[in-house]
Amino acid sequence: MSVARTDQRNRRAGGAGRIVLRAVQIVLLPAALIAVWWVASLASTVYYLPTPGEIATTFAEVWGAERVADDVLPSIARLLGGFALGTLLGVGLGIVLGLSPRTRAVLEPVLEFFRAIPPPVLVPLLMLFVGVNTTMKLAVIVSGCIWPILLNTIEGVRAVDPVLIDTCRCYGVRGRRWLTTLVLRSASPQIMAGMRQGLSIAIILMVISEMFASSSGLGHTIIQFQRTFAIPEMWSGIVLLGLLGFVLSVVFAAIERQVLSWYNGVRAAARGE
């Protein structure tokens, strides 16, 4: 009994040590990069390279509650809306194509053609057909983030274990229950991987869509600062975008761990942890 308790304490101590080490690693690299940036900016006479201290001061001055409400929140709403729509379309179409080889064979050339088109190229075309509005920005985001989600969903559905398919058939598991219990659950690791890639693309396209004929949003604000040579303000917007991407990544990682808790448990059991 005492040996088991000792092992449990050692595992807890090891887990706490790994958490502390990870926290130190997370803090050290950004601190080192900021220090290098600071030294380089102090030694430089280039107007376009302000010091981190100047950017931090400008950040506090520029990004107040009013500008956050006018520019940051609309950008986040467009980002999440476009990403959610891209996820629904990508997963839905990916399930259909993954389950139907004939449909996939028919649509694959068309999908490959549209996938090869860079989404920013579609902005002028969408402005003509849709107009300069929120719908256009959502369409730009969806046009890019849908592809990794779609392709990962197709491969995840195709990779469902045939033994599990036969087992479900033997036990009479069909229809909606078969789809949610077997197909989506088995493909969920690859779907989440595609969603993670899609989220990164969605952030990029959100900024690009707001740089074209927009009157609000982070992309619009940053490009306005650049055009008026408000360099510290421009850098503060870029830093805000980086922070936004980091926060979204952390939130997505937490959701991913929750959704794939069963999968991580299976992998840990396979490794004997």
Side-chain angles (χ1 to χ4, degrees):
M1 194 68 173
S2 60
V3 174
R5 290 179 179 176
T6 302
D7 291 340
Q8 188 176 8
R9 285 197 298 268
N10 290 337
R11 284 196 296 270
R12 289 178 180 175
R18 285 193 294 270
I19 292 174
V20 172
L21 179 61
R22 180 59 179 164
V24 170
Q25 290 173 342
I26 291 173
V27 172
L28 278 181
L29 181 57
L33 291 175
I34 292 173
V36 171
W37 182 1
W38 205 310
V39 171
S41 60
L42 288 175
S44 174
T45 58
V46 178
Y47 171 70
Y48 303 107
L49 187 64
T51 65
E54 186 178 358
I55 294 174
T57 302
T58 305
F59 188 98
E61 295 173 352
V62 170
W63 300 104
E66 183 177 355
R67 189 176 288 277
V68 167
D70 292 341
D71 293 316
V72 179
L73 295 183
S75 292
I76 295 176
R78 293 170 192 137
L79 168 64
L80 297 180
F83 177 67
L85 185 57
T87 299
L88 290 175
L89 293 175
V91 173
L93 185 58
I95 291 173
V96 173
L97 297 179
L99 293 176
S100 176
R102 290 184 179 179
T103 306
R104 186 170 63 250
V106 171
L107 294 182
E108 189 171 16
V110 178
L111 294 177
E112 289 298 327
F113 172 80
F114 283 108
R115 188 169 72 94
I117 300 175
V121 176
L122 299 176
V123 174
L125 185 64
L126 291 172
M127 289 172 62
L128 292 175
F129 282 97
V130 182
V132 183
N133 50 32
T134 301
T135 303
M136 181 273 290
K137 298 176 179 66
L138 292 176
V140 172
I141 295 172
V142 172
S143 67
C145 72
I146 188 175
W147 296 112
I149 301 172
L150 172 62
L151 297 177
N152 276 271
T153 301
I154 292 173
E155 293 306 315
V157 171
R158 292 180 61 190
V160 176
D161 192 344
V163 175
L164 295 179
I165 295 177
D166 292 338
T167 303
C168 286
R169 186 181 297 114
C170 292
Y171 281 95
V173 179
R174 294 182 176 85
R176 181 179 177 181
R177 186 181 178 189
W178 176 80
L179 181 64
T180 56
T181 304
L182 175 62
V183 177
L184 283 177
R185 192 175 179 86
S186 299
S188 58
Q190 286 184 262
I191 293 175
M192 296 302 292
M195 290 176 62
R196 177 179 286 277
Q197 298 174 28
L199 181 60
S200 301
I201 296 173
I203 295 174
I204 297 171
L205 294 177
M206 177 267 291
V207 177
I208 292 175
S209 68
E210 292 175 347
M211 288 181 173
F212 290 89
S214 180
S215 59
S216 66
L218 277 170
H220 167 75
T221 304
I222 292 173
I223 203 68
Q224 288 299 112
F225 286 149
Q226 184 266 335
R227 288 171 178 169
T228 58
F229 293 93
I231 303 304
E233 288 79 1
M234 180 191 73
W235 276 102
S236 70
I238 295 173
V239 170
L240 180 58
L241 271 175
L243 292 175
L244 175 62
F246 174 76
V247 170
L248 289 174
S249 177
V250 170
V251 172
F252 185 86
I255 296 173
E256 184 179 30
R257 282 195 300 270
Q258 185 66 29
V259 172
L260 299 181
S261 58
W262 66 272
Y263 178 71
N264 296 328
V266 170
R267 293 183 61 188
R271 292 195 300 265
E273 296 180 2

